[in-house]
Amino acid sequence: MTDYQEYLDFLYSALAFQNKKQLVLSEDTALVADMGLSSLEVMEFIEKIEDHFDISIPLNILPDVNTIGDLAKKVRELNL
Amino acid sequence: MLFDKFQTMADFQAELAARHVKPFGAVTEKILSATEGVVEGRNVILAGTNNYLGLSFDPRCIKAAQEAAARWGTGTTGSRLANGSFSEHQALETEIAQFYGVDHAIVFSTGYAATMGMCSTLAGPGDTILLDADSHASIYSGVKLSGADIIRFKHNDPEDLAKRMRRLGDRAGQALIIAEGIYSMLGDVAPLQEIAAVKREYGGYLFLDEAHSMGALGETGRGAAQAAGVEADVDFFAGTFSKSLGAIGGFCVSRHAELEAIRFCINAYIFTASSAPSIIASTRAALRIITEEPQLRHKLWDNANRLYDGLKDLGLPVGPTASPVVAVEMEDRSATIECWNALMAAGVYVNLVIPPASPSTNFLLRNSVSAAHTSAQIDTIIAAYAGLITAGLITPTSKAH
């Protein structure tokens, strides 16, 4: 099992080129409220994660995901 | 504030009002025929109605509706599970099942209720739904209510579907795959042979919404699956009576006997009044007509090809293939609104589509073709688009032929 921090690190690197505001990313950084990702950008980002871990992330879990940390936890659960 | 989330829409409506444009909810003051009307004070050719076979004004359908209203009254005033199942409803269920060559059918009061109701009920908590990313809003509403895990696959991409089915492992065999025949906004057709092949490889159940393809595709008008020769792979067909059949209502048909039990679990079927008998009667008449008169379908395609080729020859960005839905994609919202207004001024009513109703961030001038259009009307529509180019409102994206 990959450690939570490794999931976080992957998400940070995957988000690097979408970090238009040049924020210092942390697990508390909100994808939409802080980073300003559009719904299309969120879906592109999700697809990148899905392909990397070879999983599908159900749409219905996304309402519970606000921050990078939320997403890392969900991806870890799905990849167990 | 409760209303804050509506401010963007309020601002957009105010902008349209200030520009004296009313693309959404434009009032039709008079319907002159299946293809002509008076909209917002203008005589226009109706090129945004989904009236694919032009049956809304067929005298046989009108007569059937009139006679049914006289015999049964104007409404049922009740649910199909209570007092709202008349023999007309039952007869239509038998006939729509026969039309599809299966044994089971449910008739719903609207097409939205049919797809939303089925998609919210077929799969539940613990199940998995895989739906095409460009699915209709009724499908998205339904799956959201289902409680199932919802996984999108890329639009019309069987490889992405296969990848996601593989990732499901043992759960794939119980998954519900949802696709449409013709997609309503761009008029593109699902690659159903490939989707059916994925289903055969991984298992699962296939739900196909033929709302825009019933009456338009297939040897006997059953839709895209018939045209692709994969009807045996489809577990549930859904569709509507409000497009090719010229009325309103929806249906789901299936070879699975379980549909009869599912019927009693669908809130969108149970907790709403059944269709008025006049609607059911005109739908039955229309179903007979599309069965007996394949020439309507041929005329629809003649017109669809004529409009598609005409717009393509102008260099306008239309879809990859001809279809009863021909959409011109534009990137700029303001320019699209101007074009819609200019088309109205030229006597052509089309649909203005904005995201998220459009499948991308683009805006659409959506045209739907009818078998009832004359060739001259199609040419007038094409000429109106040529006028947009002449006026500098739209720039051809490919070289005009």
Side-chain angles (χ1 to χ4, degrees):
Chain A
M1 187 186 85
T2 315
D3 183 69
Y4 170 63
Q5 185 60 45
E6 287 180 43
Y7 284 96
L8 276 179
D9 290 341
F10 172 77
L11 297 186
Y12 294 150
S13 65
L15 278 168
F17 88 104
Q18 286 175 308
N19 189 3
K20 292 168 289 192
K21 296 182 181 175
Q22 297 295 306
L23 300 176
V24 177
L25 300 180
S26 76
E27 60 186 323
D28 295 325
T29 305
L31 295 163
V32 175
D34 294 334
M35 297 190 66
L37 296 188
S38 68
S39 55
L40 196 63
E41 288 169 325
V42 169
M43 294 319 296
E44 285 170 359
F45 176 52
I46 293 289
E47 194 184 326
K48 199 184 295 180
I49 301 166
E50 290 178 323
D51 284 343
H52 180 81
F53 292 106
D54 200 24
I55 57 173
S56 287
I57 300 175
L59 291 182
N60 44 296
I61 69 161
L62 295 182
D64 296 332
V65 172
N66 289 313
T67 65
I68 296 174
D70 293 337
L71 188 55
K73 286 172 195 154
K74 291 287 184 188
V75 174
R76 185 173 63 166
E77 285 170 23
L78 289 166
N79 201 33
L80 284 177
Chain B
M1 288 285 289
L2 184 66
F3 301 141
D4 285 352
K5 55 186 170 293
F6 305 112
Q7 195 55 50
T8 305
M9 180 53 73
D11 292 343
F12 182 42
Q13 293 301 321
E15 178 197 334
L16 293 173
R19 296 169 71 170
H20 305 291
V21 183
K22 195 176 181 185
F24 307 115
V27 176
T28 300
E29 286 129 14
K30 199 171 179 185
I31 289 284
L32 304 171
S33 70
T35 59
E36 288 178 301
V38 181
V39 180
E40 296 291 324
R42 292 189 180 102
N43 275 57
V44 292
I45 296 169
L46 300 170
T49 63
N50 307 314
N51 195 359
Y52 297 122
L53 300 181
L55 293 179
S56 63
F57 261 78
D58 188 283
R60 293 162 290 184
C61 297
I62 292 172
K63 184 166 181 276
Q66 287 170 332
E67 288 177 357
R71 188 182 314 123
W72 295 99
T74 52
T76 68
T77 71
S79 161
R80 290 291 306 277
L81 259 64
N83 60 301
S85 275
F86 292 7
S87 54
E88 285 280 325
H89 299 89
Q90 205 169 33
L92 177 55
E93 284 182 341
T94 301
E95 288 160 8
I96 192 78
Q98 285 172 347
F99 179 75
Y100 274 92
V102 296
D103 291 331
H104 308 282
I106 304 175
V107 164
F108 292 82
S109 299
T110 69
Y112 189 99
T115 43
M116 190 272 281
M118 290 304 299
C119 292
S120 64
T121 308
L122 275 173
D127 296 325
T128 305
I129 292 172
L130 292 102
L131 81 165
D132 186 286
D134 285 4
S135 290
H136 189 259
S138 59
I139 292 172
Y140 272 102
S141 295
V143 300
K144 199 171 176 182
L145 287 170
S146 71
D149 277 342
I150 306 157
I151 295 169
R152 293 200 302 188
F153 61 91
K154 288 181 192 168
H155 174 55
N156 276 354
D157 189 336
E159 285 183 19
D160 195 50
L161 172 63
K163 180 171 73 179
R164 293 174 185 282
M165 288 293 276
R166 175 183 56 74
R167 287 171 180 170
L168 284 177
D170 293 342
R171 294 175 70 195
Q174 291 297 313
L176 178 66
I177 302 165
I178 300 176
E180 299 180 28
I182 290 178
Y183 284 84
S184 61
M185 290 296 112
L186 298 178
D188 46 341
V189 181
L192 289 175
Q193 288 181 349
E194 293 82 354
I195 288 174
V198 173
K199 186 201 146 184
R200 284 196 291 272
E201 182 176 354
Y202 292 96
Y205 297 83
L206 179 56
F207 178 95
L208 184 65
D209 182 5
E210 299 266 27
H212 289 264
S213 33
M214 181 208 188
L217 288 173
E219 191 184 349
T220 63
R222 298 207 290 234
Q226 187 182 37
V230 295
E231 287 182 291
D233 295 291
V234 179
D235 294 277
F236 299 94
F237 293 92
T240 177
F241 304 139
S242 63
K243 295 178 172 64
S244 285
L245 297 179
I248 186 169
F251 67 88
C252 178
V253 302
S254 177
R255 66 176 184 276
H256 295 292
E258 289 82 356
L259 190 67
E260 301 303 337
I262 293 168
R263 173 197 299 271
F264 297 102
C265 304
I266 307 168
N267 283 356
Y269 173 81
I270 301 168
F271 296 101
T272 192
S274 61
S275 294
S278 56
I279 291 169
I280 298 293
S282 82
T283 301
R284 292 180 66 196
L287 191 59
R288 279 194 292 277
I289 291 168
I290 71 168
T291 305
E292 294 164 1
E293 299 181 13
Q295 62 269 29
L296 284 173
R297 196 159 45 257
H298 303 149
K299 183 69 168 54
L300 168 67
W301 279 96
D302 286 346
N303 285 339
N305 285 319
R306 191 179 187 94
L307 180 62
Y308 178 83
D309 291 344
L311 298 186
K312 196 174 180 187
D313 285 349
L314 290 174
L316 296 176
V318 291
T321 56
S323 167
V325 175
V326 183
V328 176
E329 286 197 73
M330 297 178 70
E331 292 181 0
D332 184 78
R333 185 179 79 171
S334 187
T336 317
I337 293 168
E338 286 300 313
C339 286
W340 183 87
N341 219 15
L343 289 171
M344 278 291 279
V348 176
Y349 170 81
V350 306
N351 304 126
L352 173 67
V353 183
I354 64 170
S358 60
S360 70
T361 55
N362 284 347
F363 299 79
L364 306 177
L365 295 167
R366 175 187 180 274
N367 309 274
S368 57
V369 181
S370 174
H373 281 127
T374 63
S375 299
Q377 286 176 322
I378 298 291
D379 291 345
T380 301
I381 298 168
I382 296 167
Y385 275 93
L388 299 181
I389 297 171
T390 306
L393 293 173
I394 187 169
T395 308
T397 53
S398 62
K399 192 178 174 186
H401 295 176

mmCIF file of all heavy atoms in Angstrom, chain A residues 39-40 43 47 50-61 78, chain B residues 130-131 140 147-152 154 160 163-164 166-168 361:
data_model
loop_
_atom_site.group_PDB
_atom_site.id
_atom_site.type_symbol
_atom_site.label_atom_id
_atom_site.label_comp_id
_atom_site.label_asym_id
_atom_site.label_seq_id
_atom_site.Cartn_x
_atom_site.Cartn_y
_atom_site.Cartn_z
ATOM 1 N N SER A 39 -14.567 23.260 -13.696
ATOM 2 C CA SER A 39 -15.060 21.883 -13.639
ATOM 3 C C SER A 39 -14.356 21.020 -14.685
ATOM 4 O O SER A 39 -14.053 19.857 -14.445
ATOM 5 C CB SER A 39 -16.580 21.851 -13.830
ATOM 6 O OG SER A 39 -16.924 22.505 -15.022
ATOM 7 N N LEU A 40 -14.060 21.622 -15.849
ATOM 8 C CA LEU A 40 -13.360 20.888 -16.896
ATOM 9 C C LEU A 40 -11.937 20.531 -16.437
ATOM 10 O O LEU A 40 -11.461 19.398 -16.645
ATOM 11 C CB LEU A 40 -13.303 21.729 -18.179
ATOM 12 C CG LEU A 40 -12.944 21.005 -19.465
ATOM 13 C CD1 LEU A 40 -13.987 19.962 -19.818
ATOM 14 C CD2 LEU A 40 -12.780 21.990 -20.618
ATOM 15 N N MET A 43 -12.018 17.707 -14.015
ATOM 16 C CA MET A 43 -12.216 16.409 -14.648
ATOM 17 C C MET A 43 -10.939 15.923 -15.353
ATOM 18 O O MET A 43 -10.622 14.733 -15.328
ATOM 19 C CB MET A 43 -13.380 16.458 -15.644
ATOM 20 C CG MET A 43 -14.751 16.702 -15.020
ATOM 21 S SD MET A 43 -15.071 15.812 -13.464
ATOM 22 C CE MET A 43 -15.013 14.109 -14.003
ATOM 23 N N GLU A 47 -8.918 12.533 -14.361
ATOM 24 C CA GLU A 47 -8.558 11.507 -15.350
ATOM 25 C C GLU A 47 -7.072 11.157 -15.272
ATOM 26 O O GLU A 47 -6.678 9.986 -15.429
ATOM 27 C CB GLU A 47 -8.924 12.016 -16.745
ATOM 28 C CG GLU A 47 -8.900 10.918 -17.777
ATOM 29 C CD GLU A 47 -9.172 11.448 -19.170
ATOM 30 O OE1 GLU A 47 -9.949 12.402 -19.298
ATOM 31 O OE2 GLU A 47 -8.567 10.917 -20.106
ATOM 32 N N GLU A 50 -6.711 8.885 -12.400
ATOM 33 C CA GLU A 50 -7.280 7.560 -12.712
ATOM 34 C C GLU A 50 -6.305 6.737 -13.536
ATOM 35 O O GLU A 50 -6.079 5.551 -13.256
ATOM 36 C CB GLU A 50 -8.606 7.731 -13.467
ATOM 37 C CG GLU A 50 -9.723 8.292 -12.609
ATOM 38 C CD GLU A 50 -11.014 8.495 -13.396
ATOM 39 O OE1 GLU A 50 -10.945 8.881 -14.574
ATOM 40 O OE2 GLU A 50 -12.085 8.288 -12.824
ATOM 41 N N ASP A 51 -5.736 7.356 -14.546
ATOM 42 C CA ASP A 51 -4.822 6.614 -15.414
ATOM 43 C C ASP A 51 -3.538 6.243 -14.680
ATOM 44 O O ASP A 51 -2.985 5.165 -14.889
ATOM 45 C CB ASP A 51 -4.510 7.434 -16.677
ATOM 46 C CG ASP A 51 -5.677 7.416 -17.656
ATOM 47 O OD1 ASP A 51 -6.558 6.543 -17.515
ATOM 48 O OD2 ASP A 51 -5.730 8.277 -18.550
ATOM 49 N N HIS A 52 -3.067 7.122 -13.808
ATOM 50 C CA HIS A 52 -1.818 6.839 -13.085
ATOM 51 C C HIS A 52 -1.983 5.624 -12.169
ATOM 52 O O HIS A 52 -1.115 4.748 -12.116
ATOM 53 C CB HIS A 52 -1.402 8.064 -12.270
ATOM 54 C CG HIS A 52 -0.134 7.842 -11.494
ATOM 55 N ND1 HIS A 52 1.117 7.941 -12.072
ATOM 56 C CD2 HIS A 52 0.068 7.489 -10.196
ATOM 57 C CE1 HIS A 52 2.042 7.685 -11.159
ATOM 58 N NE2 HIS A 52 1.432 7.404 -10.018
ATOM 59 N N PHE A 53 -3.095 5.588 -11.441
ATOM 60 C CA PHE A 53 -3.301 4.502 -10.482
ATOM 61 C C PHE A 53 -4.129 3.343 -11.071
ATOM 62 O O PHE A 53 -4.390 2.361 -10.368
ATOM 63 C CB PHE A 53 -3.987 5.032 -9.213
ATOM 64 C CG PHE A 53 -3.106 5.964 -8.411
ATOM 65 C CD1 PHE A 53 -3.355 7.329 -8.413
ATOM 66 C CD2 PHE A 53 -2.032 5.489 -7.679
ATOM 67 C CE1 PHE A 53 -2.551 8.196 -7.694
ATOM 68 C CE2 PHE A 53 -1.223 6.351 -6.951
ATOM 69 C CZ PHE A 53 -1.478 7.713 -6.963
ATOM 70 N N ASP A 54 -4.572 3.509 -12.316
ATOM 71 C CA ASP A 54 -5.406 2.506 -12.981
ATOM 72 C C ASP A 54 -6.667 2.209 -12.162
ATOM 73 O O ASP A 54 -6.987 1.051 -11.859
ATOM 74 C CB ASP A 54 -4.613 1.212 -13.234
ATOM 75 C CG ASP A 54 -5.280 0.361 -14.326
ATOM 76 O OD1 ASP A 54 -6.021 0.927 -15.162
ATOM 77 O OD2 ASP A 54 -5.064 -0.860 -14.323
ATOM 78 N N ILE A 55 -7.348 3.279 -11.793
ATOM 79 C CA ILE A 55 -8.601 3.158 -11.051
ATOM 80 C C ILE A 55 -9.636 4.066 -11.736
ATOM 81 O O ILE A 55 -9.291 4.869 -12.598
ATOM 82 C CB ILE A 55 -8.462 3.618 -9.577
ATOM 83 C CG1 ILE A 55 -7.958 5.093 -9.535
ATOM 84 C CG2 ILE A 55 -7.550 2.695 -8.795
ATOM 85 C CD1 ILE A 55 -7.955 5.697 -8.155
ATOM 86 N N SER A 56 -10.900 3.902 -11.356
ATOM 87 C CA SER A 56 -11.926 4.862 -11.750
ATOM 88 C C SER A 56 -12.418 5.550 -10.485
ATOM 89 O O SER A 56 -12.694 4.884 -9.474
ATOM 90 C CB SER A 56 -13.102 4.170 -12.440
ATOM 91 O OG SER A 56 -12.732 3.764 -13.743
ATOM 92 N N ILE A 57 -12.514 6.860 -10.529
ATOM 93 C CA ILE A 57 -12.998 7.621 -9.375
ATOM 94 C C ILE A 57 -14.469 7.962 -9.626
ATOM 95 O O ILE A 57 -14.778 8.731 -10.540
ATOM 96 C CB ILE A 57 -12.167 8.914 -9.187
ATOM 97 C CG1 ILE A 57 -10.701 8.554 -8.951
ATOM 98 C CG2 ILE A 57 -12.726 9.735 -8.031
ATOM 99 C CD1 ILE A 57 -9.765 9.750 -8.864
ATOM 100 N N PRO A 58 -15.383 7.370 -8.864
ATOM 101 C CA PRO A 58 -16.810 7.633 -9.108
ATOM 102 C C PRO A 58 -17.155 9.109 -8.892
ATOM 103 O O PRO A 58 -16.647 9.749 -7.967
ATOM 104 C CB PRO A 58 -17.517 6.753 -8.077
ATOM 105 C CG PRO A 58 -16.514 5.727 -7.674
ATOM 106 C CD PRO A 58 -15.179 6.406 -7.769
ATOM 107 N N LEU A 59 -18.036 9.605 -9.754
ATOM 108 C CA LEU A 59 -18.458 11.006 -9.644
ATOM 109 C C LEU A 59 -19.107 11.296 -8.303
ATOM 110 O O LEU A 59 -19.009 12.397 -7.772
ATOM 111 C CB LEU A 59 -19.485 11.336 -10.733
ATOM 112 C CG LEU A 59 -19.049 11.382 -12.182
ATOM 113 C CD1 LEU A 59 -20.225 11.781 -13.064
ATOM 114 C CD2 LEU A 59 -17.913 12.367 -12.360
ATOM 115 N N ASN A 60 -19.789 10.291 -7.752
ATOM 116 C CA ASN A 60 -20.569 10.539 -6.544
ATOM 117 C C ASN A 60 -19.721 10.776 -5.310
ATOM 118 O O ASN A 60 -20.246 11.217 -4.290
ATOM 119 C CB ASN A 60 -21.559 9.389 -6.295
ATOM 120 C CG ASN A 60 -20.945 8.034 -6.486
ATOM 121 O OD1 ASN A 60 -20.533 7.693 -7.588
ATOM 122 N ND2 ASN A 60 -20.867 7.255 -5.429
ATOM 123 N N ILE A 61 -18.415 10.514 -5.385
ATOM 124 C CA ILE A 61 -17.596 10.813 -4.200
ATOM 125 C C ILE A 61 -17.064 12.245 -4.263
ATOM 126 O O ILE A 61 -16.580 12.775 -3.269
ATOM 127 C CB ILE A 61 -16.413 9.837 -4.022
ATOM 128 C CG1 ILE A 61 -15.369 10.056 -5.119
ATOM 129 C CG2 ILE A 61 -16.886 8.390 -3.981
ATOM 130 C CD1 ILE A 61 -14.015 9.478 -4.750
ATOM 131 N N LEU A 78 -9.654 4.027 -2.767
ATOM 132 C CA LEU A 78 -10.024 3.344 -4.013
ATOM 133 C C LEU A 78 -8.919 2.431 -4.519
ATOM 134 O O LEU A 78 -9.166 1.465 -5.241
ATOM 135 C CB LEU A 78 -10.361 4.373 -5.099
ATOM 136 C CG LEU A 78 -11.668 5.140 -4.909
ATOM 137 C CD1 LEU A 78 -11.715 6.349 -5.829
ATOM 138 C CD2 LEU A 78 -12.858 4.230 -5.192
ATOM 139 N N LEU B 130 -21.821 2.964 -15.521
ATOM 140 C CA LEU B 130 -20.852 3.615 -16.406
ATOM 141 C C LEU B 130 -21.644 4.365 -17.467
ATOM 142 O O LEU B 130 -22.393 3.750 -18.232
ATOM 143 C CB LEU B 130 -19.935 2.589 -17.073
ATOM 144 C CG LEU B 130 -18.980 1.901 -16.093
ATOM 145 C CD1 LEU B 130 -19.492 0.533 -15.756
ATOM 146 C CD2 LEU B 130 -17.583 1.842 -16.660
ATOM 147 N N LEU B 131 -21.522 5.668 -17.473
ATOM 148 C CA LEU B 131 -22.315 6.430 -18.437
ATOM 149 C C LEU B 131 -21.426 7.276 -19.327
ATOM 150 O O LEU B 131 -20.365 7.753 -18.901
ATOM 151 C CB LEU B 131 -23.368 7.300 -17.739
ATOM 152 C CG LEU B 131 -22.984 8.639 -17.143
ATOM 153 C CD1 LEU B 131 -24.228 9.460 -16.860
ATOM 154 C CD2 LEU B 131 -22.209 8.454 -15.852
ATOM 155 N N TYR B 140 -28.209 12.035 -16.108
ATOM 156 C CA TYR B 140 -27.405 12.485 -14.959
ATOM 157 C C TYR B 140 -28.260 12.636 -13.708
ATOM 158 O O TYR B 140 -27.858 12.245 -12.607
ATOM 159 C CB TYR B 140 -26.695 13.806 -15.285
ATOM 160 C CG TYR B 140 -25.341 13.605 -15.948
ATOM 161 C CD1 TYR B 140 -25.180 13.766 -17.312
ATOM 162 C CD2 TYR B 140 -24.230 13.239 -15.202
ATOM 163 C CE1 TYR B 140 -23.941 13.574 -17.922
ATOM 164 C CE2 TYR B 140 -22.993 13.043 -15.788
ATOM 165 C CZ TYR B 140 -22.853 13.214 -17.149
ATOM 166 O OH TYR B 140 -21.622 13.013 -17.729
ATOM 167 N N GLY B 147 -27.919 6.233 -6.043
ATOM 168 C CA GLY B 147 -27.096 5.758 -4.927
ATOM 169 C C GLY B 147 -25.980 4.839 -5.377
ATOM 170 O O GLY B 147 -25.165 4.385 -4.566
ATOM 171 N N ALA B 148 -25.930 4.535 -6.678
ATOM 172 C CA ALA B 148 -24.859 3.675 -7.209
ATOM 173 C C ALA B 148 -23.572 4.486 -7.396
ATOM 174 O O ALA B 148 -23.600 5.710 -7.391
ATOM 175 C CB ALA B 148 -25.298 3.094 -8.555
ATOM 176 N N ASP B 149 -22.464 3.775 -7.564
ATOM 177 C CA ASP B 149 -21.219 4.444 -7.952
ATOM 178 C C ASP B 149 -21.339 4.852 -9.415
ATOM 179 O O ASP B 149 -21.691 4.018 -10.265
ATOM 180 C CB ASP B 149 -20.013 3.506 -7.771
ATOM 181 C CG ASP B 149 -19.519 3.515 -6.336
ATOM 182 O OD1 ASP B 149 -19.868 4.454 -5.589
ATOM 183 O OD2 ASP B 149 -18.795 2.576 -5.959
ATOM 184 N N ILE B 150 -21.032 6.112 -9.692
ATOM 185 C CA ILE B 150 -21.224 6.643 -11.047
ATOM 186 C C ILE B 150 -19.867 6.914 -11.678
ATOM 187 O O ILE B 150 -19.098 7.752 -11.187
ATOM 188 C CB ILE B 150 -22.028 7.966 -11.001
ATOM 189 C CG1 ILE B 150 -23.340 7.757 -10.244
ATOM 190 C CG2 ILE B 150 -22.284 8.473 -12.410
ATOM 191 C CD1 ILE B 150 -23.901 9.050 -9.688
ATOM 192 N N ILE B 151 -19.587 6.207 -12.762
ATOM 193 C CA ILE B 151 -18.306 6.377 -13.463
ATOM 194 C C ILE B 151 -18.587 6.828 -14.890
ATOM 195 O O ILE B 151 -19.386 6.191 -15.594
ATOM 196 C CB ILE B 151 -17.514 5.049 -13.455
ATOM 197 C CG1 ILE B 151 -17.128 4.702 -12.009
ATOM 198 C CG2 ILE B 151 -16.277 5.141 -14.348
ATOM 199 C CD1 ILE B 151 -16.571 3.297 -11.852
ATOM 200 N N ARG B 152 -17.959 7.921 -15.272
ATOM 201 C CA ARG B 152 -18.138 8.397 -16.651
ATOM 202 C C ARG B 152 -17.082 7.798 -17.560
ATOM 203 O O ARG B 152 -15.935 7.642 -17.160
ATOM 204 C CB ARG B 152 -17.976 9.928 -16.709
ATOM 205 C CG ARG B 152 -19.052 10.677 -16.008
ATOM 206 C CD ARG B 152 -19.124 12.091 -16.484
ATOM 207 N NE ARG B 152 -17.893 12.845 -16.331
ATOM 208 C CZ ARG B 152 -17.808 14.143 -16.550
ATOM 209 N NH1 ARG B 152 -18.870 14.821 -16.923
ATOM 210 N NH2 ARG B 152 -16.680 14.780 -16.389
ATOM 211 N N LYS B 154 -15.398 8.436 -21.530
ATOM 212 C CA LYS B 154 -15.302 9.505 -22.520
ATOM 213 C C LYS B 154 -16.360 9.316 -23.597
ATOM 214 O O LYS B 154 -16.637 8.179 -24.009
ATOM 215 C CB LYS B 154 -13.915 9.517 -23.169
ATOM 216 C CG LYS B 154 -12.826 10.024 -22.253
ATOM 217 C CD LYS B 154 -11.499 10.009 -22.996
ATOM 218 C CE LYS B 154 -10.357 10.235 -22.036
ATOM 219 N NZ LYS B 154 -9.049 9.948 -22.667
ATOM 220 N N ASP B 160 -12.216 3.674 -23.775
ATOM 221 C CA ASP B 160 -12.258 4.191 -22.406
ATOM 222 C C ASP B 160 -13.265 3.389 -21.582
ATOM 223 O O ASP B 160 -13.020 3.080 -20.412
ATOM 224 C CB ASP B 160 -12.632 5.676 -22.416
ATOM 225 C CG ASP B 160 -12.341 6.345 -21.079
ATOM 226 O OD1 ASP B 160 -11.211 6.183 -20.572
ATOM 227 O OD2 ASP B 160 -13.241 7.002 -20.526
ATOM 228 N N LYS B 163 -11.623 0.128 -20.697
ATOM 229 C CA LYS B 163 -10.619 0.334 -19.636
ATOM 230 C C LYS B 163 -11.302 0.383 -18.273
ATOM 231 O O LYS B 163 -10.850 -0.238 -17.305
ATOM 232 C CB LYS B 163 -9.869 1.639 -19.924
ATOM 233 C CG LYS B 163 -8.798 2.001 -18.930
ATOM 234 C CD LYS B 163 -7.972 3.185 -19.425
ATOM 235 C CE LYS B 163 -8.738 4.478 -19.357
ATOM 236 N NZ LYS B 163 -7.972 5.652 -19.804
ATOM 237 N N ARG B 164 -12.412 1.077 -18.229
ATOM 238 C CA ARG B 164 -13.103 1.250 -16.953
ATOM 239 C C ARG B 164 -13.844 -0.032 -16.536
ATOM 240 O O ARG B 164 -13.958 -0.325 -15.349
ATOM 241 C CB ARG B 164 -14.026 2.456 -17.013
ATOM 242 C CG ARG B 164 -13.217 3.745 -17.139
ATOM 243 C CD ARG B 164 -14.058 4.977 -17.337
ATOM 244 N NE ARG B 164 -13.203 6.136 -17.558
ATOM 245 C CZ ARG B 164 -12.561 6.792 -16.603
ATOM 246 N NH1 ARG B 164 -12.679 6.401 -15.341
ATOM 247 N NH2 ARG B 164 -11.805 7.833 -16.874
ATOM 248 N N ARG B 166 -12.659 -3.005 -17.271
ATOM 249 C CA ARG B 166 -11.565 -3.850 -16.777
ATOM 250 C C ARG B 166 -11.218 -3.504 -15.338
ATOM 251 O O ARG B 166 -11.014 -4.390 -14.495
ATOM 252 C CB ARG B 166 -10.337 -3.682 -17.689
ATOM 253 C CG ARG B 166 -9.097 -4.420 -17.201
ATOM 254 C CD ARG B 166 -7.890 -4.177 -18.088
ATOM 255 N NE ARG B 166 -7.522 -2.783 -18.268
ATOM 256 C CZ ARG B 166 -6.936 -2.023 -17.350
ATOM 257 N NH1 ARG B 166 -6.653 -2.527 -16.147
ATOM 258 N NH2 ARG B 166 -6.641 -0.764 -17.600
ATOM 259 N N ARG B 167 -11.183 -2.198 -15.043
ATOM 260 C CA ARG B 167 -10.824 -1.771 -13.692
ATOM 261 C C ARG B 167 -11.836 -2.238 -12.642
ATOM 262 O O ARG B 167 -11.507 -2.326 -11.463
ATOM 263 C CB ARG B 167 -10.737 -0.239 -13.644
ATOM 264 C CG ARG B 167 -9.515 0.336 -14.335
ATOM 265 C CD ARG B 167 -9.620 1.847 -14.432
ATOM 266 N NE ARG B 167 -8.456 2.411 -15.100
ATOM 267 C CZ ARG B 167 -8.376 3.686 -15.492
ATOM 268 N NH1 ARG B 167 -9.388 4.511 -15.283
ATOM 269 N NH2 ARG B 167 -7.288 4.128 -16.084
ATOM 270 N N LEU B 168 -13.066 -2.505 -13.077
ATOM 271 C CA LEU B 168 -14.089 -2.936 -12.120
ATOM 272 C C LEU B 168 -13.882 -4.371 -11.655
ATOM 273 O O LEU B 168 -14.439 -4.776 -10.634
ATOM 274 C CB LEU B 168 -15.485 -2.822 -12.752
ATOM 275 C CG LEU B 168 -16.084 -1.428 -12.861
ATOM 276 C CD1 LEU B 168 -17.438 -1.504 -13.568
ATOM 277 C CD2 LEU B 168 -16.236 -0.773 -11.503
ATOM 278 N N THR B 361 -17.191 23.570 -23.903
ATOM 279 C CA THR B 361 -17.315 24.986 -23.551
ATOM 280 C C THR B 361 -17.824 25.795 -24.742
ATOM 281 O O THR B 361 -17.969 27.014 -24.645
ATOM 282 C CB THR B 361 -15.955 25.548 -23.085
ATOM 283 O OG1 THR B 361 -14.985 25.291 -24.101
ATOM 284 C CG2 THR B 361 -15.510 24.895 -21.789
#
